[in-house]
Amino acid sequence: MSLNIDKSKLTIMGVQFDSQKDFKSVWYVLSTNMIEGWEPEKHDVEEMKQYIIRKKEQLHRG
């Protein structure tokens, strides 16, 4: 399986990212887990994106 990645649009499996840092973070997590045999679906990408957004908000709130 391969991920549908568009670096210029910052999308993974159609999920749009607002920052290159978030995009690369999710891409890394997905690809390293795929080596172990995991086959992610679009909802997995969306959940990872939301997880990163929540963590960043928590850090900014202190």
Side-chain angles (χ1 to χ4, degrees):
M1 174 184 192
S2 64
L3 291 172
N4 181 6
I5 303 281
D6 188 327
K7 294 179 194 175
S8 64
K9 294 181 182 177
L10 297 180
T11 61
I12 301 173
M13 298 178 84
V15 178
Q16 177 74 51
F17 288 81
D18 297 327
S19 77
Q20 190 165 10
K21 183 176 181 179
D22 293 354
F23 170 78
K24 286 184 176 183
S25 296
V26 171
W27 184 8
Y28 175 78
V29 170
L30 290 170
S31 61
T32 56
N33 282 286
M34 287 175 66
I35 292 170
E36 300 295 324
W38 181 50
E39 295 185 14
E41 297 179 9
K42 184 175 181 175
H43 71 89
D44 297 312
V45 178
E46 292 167 341
E47 286 178 13
M48 287 184 188
K49 176 184 174 183
Q50 292 306 314
Y51 177 82
I52 287 175
I53 290 170
R54 283 192 307 271
K55 287 297 179 183
K56 287 191 328 187
E57 288 173 352
Q58 289 174 353
L59 288 172
H60 283 93
R61 281 188 254 147

